[in-house]
Amino acid sequence: MTEYNQREAGGPHPEKLLWFARKRAGDFPFYKGVPVALTGPQWLIVLTGVVLGFAALIVPFELYQNAIGGFIPAILFFGIPLLALAFVAGRHWRAIFRRLVFSDVFWMVGVAALNLVVALAIFYIVRTVFSMNANPVGDLLGSASGAERVLFYLKTIPQLFGEEVVSILPFLAILWWCHQRLGMSRTASIACAWLGAAIFFGALHLPTYGWNFVQCFIVIGSARAVLLIGYIATKNIWVSTGSHILFDWLVFTVIVTLTGTALATP
């Protein structure tokens, strides 16, 4: 996958950009017909691809149960939605990708750090009032061998990229709907798309966390909202993906470290 030309993806918008947005990144693709106009039915195809990609990730096919087969659902997770986007947008599907520049590294680290602070704060606040369910990854990593942990980390790369795909495509769809169909301002449309994508992402985690609505929509949804800052600021899915990988790998490493410490304690 290659970066997309900024001129084709949309230049700077006449309205004032969000204060943290990088102006040279230009505007969001598709929602104003640049680089190509998508209709309502075409957006429905894209969102159907998002749902099918998620279904491919969670359906427990026997083929997924070995080490190599475990990569298949992670690849289908992002592959199906991107194929759906390519089907309706042609070569312009690449508009969600941009060339990485040096400053993107700072965005990745900064957003990951901000997400860590926000996620921990919200988690501890919510936990004082509501019950929280443990992430099953903790048990998985705690009992895994060194090789299995390495394989797990590698498999999370395509899966976390997939989580960005199934967040950003709904974000763009909601942005288009609010701006073009509802006639909302650009700023209001971005705010609604930001909130809508966070809610959608939280809903995807309901089966993982035992249908704990508070945990998924408040804790997970808030983390998703922070991670979206990377894409909103740079219009580059690689940036939000990098932030997501940094954040999750840090959390996984803490889990592995704490698990190892607990096992070593007499």
Side-chain angles (χ1 to χ4, degrees), residues 93-158:
W93 68 276
R94 296 177 293 130
I96 61 174
F97 300 89
R98 303 288 179 87
R99 182 187 299 276
L100 284 170
V101 297
F102 185 73
S103 61
D104 288 333
V105 176
F106 294 98
W107 275 104
M108 292 178 189
V109 174
V111 172
L114 176 63
N115 194 32
L116 180 63
V117 173
V118 172
L120 286 176
I122 293 179
F123 175 80
Y124 282 109
I125 291 172
V126 172
R127 194 177 66 169
T128 61
V129 181
F130 300 97
S131 61
M132 305 284 279
N133 295 327
N135 190 321
V137 168
D139 293 333
L140 176 65
L141 289 176
S143 60
S145 65
E148 289 172 336
R149 288 173 178 172
V150 170
L151 193 63
F152 174 85
Y153 274 70
L154 292 176
K155 190 174 71 172
T156 61
I157 295 176

Side-chain angles (χ1 to χ4, degrees), residues 6-244:
Q6 179 178 313
R7 178 182 58 80
E8 294 178 289
H13 194 274
E15 291 184 39
K16 184 178 180 180
L17 298 176
L18 297 177
W19 65 269
F20 58 81
R22 189 167 61 194
K23 291 185 178 181
R24 71 170 182 269
D27 204 0
F28 299 100
F30 305 123
Y31 84 105
K32 290 191 65 179
V34 180
V36 65
L38 299 183
T39 64
Q42 287 176 319
W43 276 117
L44 185 59
I45 291 174
V46 173
L47 295 179
T48 299
V50 168
V51 173
L52 292 177
F54 179 69
L57 177 71
I58 64 174
V59 173
F61 290 119
E62 184 176 351
L63 181 63
Y64 295 175
Q65 304 310 312
N66 58 67
I68 301 301
F71 283 86
I72 297 176
I75 294 172
L76 292 175
F77 185 32
F78 70 79
I80 294 175
L82 289 181
L83 284 174
L85 180 62
F87 178 75
V88 300
R91 67 183 181 88
H92 301 294
W93 68 276
R94 296 177 293 130
I96 61 174
F97 300 89
R98 303 288 179 87
R99 182 187 299 276
L100 284 170
V101 297
F102 185 73
S103 61
D104 288 333
V105 176
F106 294 98
W107 275 104
M108 292 178 189
V109 174
V111 172
L114 176 63
N115 194 32
L116 180 63
V117 173
V118 172
L120 286 176
I122 293 179
F123 175 80
Y124 282 109
I125 291 172
V126 172
R127 194 177 66 169
T128 61
V129 181
F130 300 97
S131 61
M132 305 284 279
N133 295 327
N135 190 321
V137 168
D139 293 333
L140 176 65
L141 289 176
S143 60
S145 65
E148 289 172 336
R149 288 173 178 172
V150 170
L151 193 63
F152 174 85
Y153 274 70
L154 292 176
K155 190 174 71 172
T156 61
I157 295 176
Q159 182 166 330
L160 294 176
F161 171 62
E163 291 191 4
E164 294 307 307
V165 170
V166 303
S167 299
I168 289 170
L169 293 183
F171 171 87
L172 294 173
I174 298 170
L175 178 63
W176 168 84
W177 175 262
C178 290
H179 193 67
Q180 296 295 333
R181 293 299 188 218
L182 301 183
M184 298 171 62
S185 70
R186 179 176 181 274
T187 301
S189 299
I190 292 173
C192 288
W194 200 346
L195 177 61
I199 292 173
F200 177 75
F201 186 76
L204 294 182
H205 286 75
L206 284 170
T208 301
Y209 291 96
W211 298 89
N212 188 322
F213 285 83
V214 172
Q215 184 171 0
C216 290
F217 290 122
I218 296 181
V219 180
I220 303 298
S222 297
R224 175 70 269 168
V226 174
L227 288 172
L228 275 171
I229 291 175
Y231 179 74
I232 293 172
T234 66
K235 316 301 186 294
N236 189 351
I237 193 173
W238 294 129
V239 174
S240 58
T241 299
S243 298
H244 203 159

